[in-house]
Amino acid sequence: MSLFKRLLNPKKHSEDKAKALGKSSDRGKYYPEDKLPIDEKFTFNFKKNGGKFLYCENDAEVSEAFDNILAENDWYEKDTFCINELLTSKFQGYNLNFVKKANATFFLSTCESLVANNGSILLCSNQMKEKKLVELPSNIIIYATTSQFVENISEGLRNIKNSGGKFIPTNITTIQDFETDKEKDFMSYGSSTKNLYLLLLEDL
């Protein structure tokens, strides 16, 4: 089964694998397998966290998905916090007002890694300068690629260190809570909840 089909329907893929191995699905339809592929594990955990996931096979689908997000939320002609010049160029045809201040309607950014074991997005000063997570807009659109999957945060941190050369990025953080209207439990207090869309481009 292709990556595209597995990402859009991980449950079906999990059931197919269970049948092939002669296993039952008594573990529950929402319980992930012990050894899911990294892309499926991230997708499962990211959606469980409340993230909105849009898989794109090419740049045309990225543009269409981005346009749909703006239309759904009425974000045309709004202030957009974005410090990445490549992104401002890529999405310049949508009547957005790109600003370098965090008090904007939404934050448009890349990320360092997509962390599979908890479904989080790893960011650092490359994306947010020295802003704290709570200072970012509550609405976020992340543009990432399938080559950015990592198993855990430690692997993501190693990638940041290896890519930084002499100047290792600082202000490293993860976003993991994407359900703005859910009831908080004691594990959630102190976290910064974000309404997050992930535009994921296939590049493998």
Side-chain angles (χ1 to χ4, degrees):
M1 184 178 289
S2 70
L3 171 65
F4 175 66
K5 291 181 179 178
R6 287 193 284 110
L7 283 169
L8 293 184
N9 196 354
K11 176 177 174 288
K12 174 67 166 56
H13 177 57
S14 299
E15 290 173 350
D16 289 345
K17 288 175 66 177
K19 289 179 181 178
L21 296 172
K23 298 179 179 179
S24 70
S25 57
D26 294 337
R27 302 174 70 193
K29 61 181 180 178
Y30 296 112
Y31 194 90
E33 297 177 14
D34 289 334
K35 294 184 179 180
L36 284 175
I38 192 170
D39 53 352
E40 290 186 41
K41 186 185 297 185
F42 172 82
T43 304
F44 177 88
N45 289 320
F46 179 76
K47 289 183 176 179
K48 185 178 68 174
N49 294 340
K52 301 175 181 68
F53 178 88
L54 296 96
Y55 176 87
C56 305
E57 289 191 295
N58 49 55
D59 284 330
E61 290 187 2
V62 169
S63 297
E64 181 181 1
F66 185 75
D67 193 36
N68 288 338
I69 294 172
L70 299 183
E72 176 184 334
N73 294 280
D74 192 22
W75 286 346
Y76 295 110
E77 301 180 357
K78 301 294 185 180
D79 284 351
T80 304
F81 177 42
C82 182
I83 65 171
N84 187 307
E85 299 298 333
L86 292 178
L87 284 185
T88 59
S89 176
K90 185 178 185 64
F91 297 111
Q92 65 180 345
Y94 295 89
N95 295 322
L96 296 172
N97 181 29
F98 292 108
V99 297
K100 298 288 175 46
K101 56 185 181 181
N103 58 333
T105 299
F106 68 95
F107 176 44
L108 175 62
S109 179
T110 57
C111 68
E112 292 297 325
S113 298
L114 306 171
V115 185
N117 71 346
N118 63 5
S120 67
I121 308 292
L122 182 63
L123 303 173
C124 71
S125 53
N126 288 335
Q127 291 81 36
M128 49 193 287
K129 297 298 185 183
E130 300 307 315
K131 297 290 183 183
K132 297 179 181 178
L133 194 56
V134 295
E135 296 177 294
L136 297 178
S138 58
N139 302 304
I140 296 177
I141 301 176
I142 295 292
Y143 173 72
T145 61
T146 53
S147 60
Q148 292 180 271
F149 287 124
V150 295
E151 184 64 36
N152 50 52
I153 291 176
S154 295
E155 185 179 343
L157 294 176
R158 283 197 300 273
N159 289 346
I160 291 176
K161 182 178 180 180
N162 292 338
S163 64
K166 296 181 179 180
F167 304 99
I168 298 176
T170 58
N171 194 28
I172 300 170
T173 189
T174 60
I175 315 175
Q176 187 177 344
D177 187 0
F178 312 125
E179 291 188 284
T180 55
D181 57 349
K182 75 176 180 181
E183 184 177 349
K184 298 291 185 180
D185 57 28
F186 75 97
M187 293 293 290
S188 302
Y189 287 111
S191 64
S192 181
T193 303
K194 302 297 182 182
N195 174 38
L196 190 142
Y197 293 86
L198 173 62
L199 290 173
L200 182 67
L201 175 65
E202 172 66 66
D203 70 338
L204 293 175

